[in-house]
Amino acid sequence: KKRNQIISEITYKKEDYKKSIEIYSHFIEISEQQNLNVYDYFFTGLCCYHLSKFNFDYLKNYLFWIEKALELYPESRLLLNYAMSASYTLGNYAEAKKCFDKSIKLGYIDKNSHINIYCAIQHRKKEYWMDLIFGRKYEGDYKKVWTGKENLSNSILLVELIGGYGDNILIYGYMQRLVRLSKKVIFLTHHSLYELLKDNELGVEVYSRNSMNVSDIKYDRYIISLFVPEALKVTEENISVKGGYIKANEKLVKKYKEKYFNTDKLKIAVSYKGAPYSACCLQRDIPIEKLSMLDNLDNVQFYCFDKDVNEEELKFFKRNSIINLAKEFSSFADTAAALANVDIVVTSDNCILHLAGALGGGKKRMAIALFNHYYVNIWYDLSGGDCGWYKNVYPIVNEENNNWDISMKKTIDLIKNYQQIN
């Protein structure tokens, strides 16, 4: 067994995933059931996952091995999350929902995190799994990793971004808690987020990953961004990051206002598409003909915040014009400045949703988040009047999967009510 593990791990690091699967699958086949453990199934599944980018059948195999691992460890939050994501991508939304609901019952509050690897696979070294999951060698000292137990009062804490833009806009909201615990907090982020976050009121020192390596930064403790809620022991009572912790650049806000927002009409930002190759984007995307139901509103000006949108699609809006504003954005500093000028944000895209939540509602701004019936697992509870993470975002969930009609009618009613009040 040890020999098979070593050879498989060597071929894995060489990115020869087919060879790794062949070696380890043969070992599983000839082994007696009682000699197999969670790692055996999980490792084989992980190899299949890497190959699923090129062949969808490998994703089915990935899910098969994850489910085998769950048979041995049915209450693993990590494995449930992987099974949920794979089921979702394969279009088995009901099964994904079952995994999601079980995670909730297990107290899995931090659904942005694919974490607690050490807890899930206890007999493997944590550093190995961090390398395996994130696909690169961590440059720092593993002894400096902050788990939430170590005192930070005299320590410089480095938080390194892992994950998508929206995830880390959210995680940045927890920096205000880390600042109170630490001597200093350093946030290493996406280059596209750097301009937005570098001048902040939280006292956080921000660097771009494009211009700074971990090895060049002086720090005492280190944590990957998506581990932060778990290290802070986030619970249902303190999960919200509220809003207003990100400020748009005032000069950019003025620039966009003068160029695009000098109108007495109600200004509505719309975002109806996710990242082109996102696993869940087809579930998240709203067909333009459904979104254009908003065109029935009176005295409004629409602004499209989606990159790479097809200009022909926007012609569905006939009564009210829609300005394709996203083509002018060079970073999230631009996106935030434009959002700061709108009255209402209507979005099904996680990234714009997170940014709207992080900017806060201000005096009048309203954010409406549209979710499919089987929504993505990072939203732990949408049954109330907010999104959990953000109190200034109002969620609307489809009553049936991919049936956007009722949700759009609810959105129109909310906007009309807003017009009457304001």
Side-chain angles (χ1 to χ4, degrees):
K1 177 178 180 178
K2 187 67 177 177
R3 178 176 174 274
N4 277 272
Q5 282 183 345
I6 293 171
I7 296 173
S8 293
E9 289 169 11
I10 290 172
T11 55
Y12 180 95
K13 289 181 178 180
K14 291 181 178 180
E15 298 185 2
D16 188 352
Y17 305 121
K18 287 185 179 180
K19 189 67 174 177
S20 290
I21 293 171
E22 181 184 328
I23 296 169
Y24 226 81
S25 296
H26 176 68
F27 157 70
I28 290 175
E29 186 179 336
I30 64 175
S31 295
E32 294 182 11
Q33 189 71 29
Q34 61 265 31
N35 292 330
L36 299 177
N37 58 33
V38 172
Y39 169 77
D40 297 324
Y41 294 131
F42 182 76
F43 180 82
T44 309
L46 198 62
C47 294
C48 292
Y49 172 78
H50 285 288
L51 291 168
S52 67
K53 300 172 185 177
F54 312 104
N55 186 326
F56 213 59
D57 286 337
Y58 279 109
L59 187 61
K60 297 177 183 177
N61 293 334
Y62 164 67
L63 179 58
F64 170 80
W65 292 115
I66 293 299
E67 288 176 338
K68 294 294 287 185
L70 271 169
E71 290 176 11
L72 296 180
Y73 196 171
E75 296 191 348
S76 165
R77 299 183 295 177
L78 173 70
L79 294 173
L80 278 169
N81 189 70
Y82 282 132
M84 176 168 46
S85 298
S87 297
Y88 194 91
T89 307
L90 288 166
N92 193 342
Y93 307 122
E95 191 61 35
K97 187 81 164 56
K98 287 180 183 178
C99 295
F100 176 79
D101 291 340
K102 187 168 183 180
S103 293
I104 294 294
K105 290 178 182 178
L106 290 172
Y108 191 12
I109 297 300
D110 176 24
K111 277 151 297 298
N112 248 16
S113 146
H114 296 168
I115 330 276
N116 214 340
I117 297 161
Y118 193 46
C119 178
I121 317 290
Q122 295 183 30
H123 68 287
R124 301 298 296 177
K125 290 183 179 179
K126 186 172 185 178
E127 54 265 35
Y128 173 78
W129 280 103
M130 289 172 74
D131 294 341
L132 200 61
I133 297 299
F134 299 122
R136 60 146 173 81
K137 185 68 178 174
Y138 164 49
E139 302 170 39
D141 182 353
Y142 285 103
K143 294 179 181 178
K144 292 184 177 181
V145 171
W146 182 59
T147 65
K149 298 177 182 178
E150 300 79 9
N151 189 302
L152 294 176
S153 57
N154 293 312
S155 299
I156 298 174
L157 177 66
L158 170 62
V159 182
E160 185 183 2
L161 175 149
I162 295 289
Y165 297 125
D167 297 338
N168 284 279
I169 289 171
L170 167 63
I171 297 300
Y172 190 76
Y174 289 110
M175 294 302 110
Q176 45 202 330
R177 302 186 196 183
L178 294 179
V179 167
R180 292 195 293 267
L181 296 174
S182 313
K183 180 181 176 181
K184 183 167 75 172
V185 175
I186 299 173
F187 191 62
L188 189 61
T189 187
H190 283 299
H191 182 68
S192 296
L193 286 170
Y194 172 70
E195 284 297 321
L196 176 62
L197 303 180
K198 67 181 179 68
D199 299 317
N200 62 81
E201 299 176 357
L202 305 180
V204 177
E205 200 170 304
V206 180
Y207 295 111
S208 165
R209 285 199 313 197
N210 286 28
S211 58
M212 184 71 75
N213 296 318
V214 173
S215 56
D216 297 325
I217 300 174
K218 292 183 179 179
Y219 63 94
D220 302 301
R221 289 286 177 183
Y222 168 93
I223 188 169
I224 289 173
S225 56
L226 293 182
F227 280 82
V228 167
E230 187 142 350
L232 285 172
K233 297 179 174 58
V234 167
T235 66
E236 191 171 354
E237 286 70 34
N238 67 355
I239 191 173
S240 176
V241 291
K242 299 180 181 177
Y245 58 86
I246 287 180
K247 307 292 183 184
N249 181 283
E250 291 183 7
K251 290 183 179 179
L252 280 176
V253 173
K254 185 178 179 181
K255 168 192 164 184
Y256 278 99
K257 181 177 181 179
E258 292 174 350
K259 192 171 182 179
Y260 295 108
F261 294 94
N262 269 329
T263 175
D264 293 331
K265 294 182 178 181
L266 186 71
K267 295 170 276 292
I268 302 177
V270 294
S271 178
Y272 60 100
K273 287 187 174 183
Y277 304 106
S278 170
C280 59
C281 68
L282 295 178
Q283 275 294 106
R284 198 164 58 209
D285 290 359
I286 302 175
I288 188 65
E289 59 269 24
K290 300 298 182 183
L291 183 77
S292 63
M293 290 172 66
L294 297 175
D295 199 26
N296 293 319
L297 291 162
D298 295 322
N299 198 35
V300 297
Q301 174 65 62
F302 293 103
Y303 303 86
C304 179
F305 274 64
D306 287 322
K307 285 277 191 181
D308 305 316
V309 71
N310 184 343
E311 292 280 354
E312 290 297 312
E313 287 189 348
L314 301 184
K315 292 180 180 179
F316 271 84
F317 286 78
K318 301 183 185 303
R319 294 183 69 245
N320 300 283
S321 63
I322 181 167
I323 298 173
N324 186 7
L325 202 56
K327 62 183 180 182
E328 294 217 5
F329 300 158
S330 59
S331 76
F332 281 99
D334 289 302
T335 313
L339 273 181
N341 280 291
V342 306
D343 301 305
I344 294 177
V345 182
V346 178
T347 179
S348 64
D349 175 57
N350 283 333
C351 192
I352 297 299
L353 191 165
H354 281 298
L355 187 53
L359 288 169
K363 292 182 179 180
K364 294 173 59 179
R365 191 182 311 114
M366 177 183 185
I368 301 172
L370 299 171
F371 295 90
N372 219 329
H373 182 66
Y374 293 116
Y375 49 83
V376 292
N377 57 297
I378 60 173
W379 303 100
Y380 85 108
D381 184 7
L382 300 178
S383 60
D386 58 57
C387 284
W389 305 107
Y390 307 103
K391 297 302 181 184
N392 60 311
V393 175
Y394 185 86
I396 296 177
V397 182
N398 283 353
E399 294 182 5
E400 297 176 355
N401 218 38
N402 295 320
N403 184 351
W404 296 97
D405 289 352
I406 295 175
S407 292
M408 294 311 303
K409 288 176 183 177
K410 289 179 180 178
T411 302
I412 290 170
D413 289 342
L414 279 174
I415 294 173
K416 285 181 176 179
N417 184 58
Y418 178 97
Q419 287 177 309
Q420 291 175 357
I421 295 173
N422 296 281

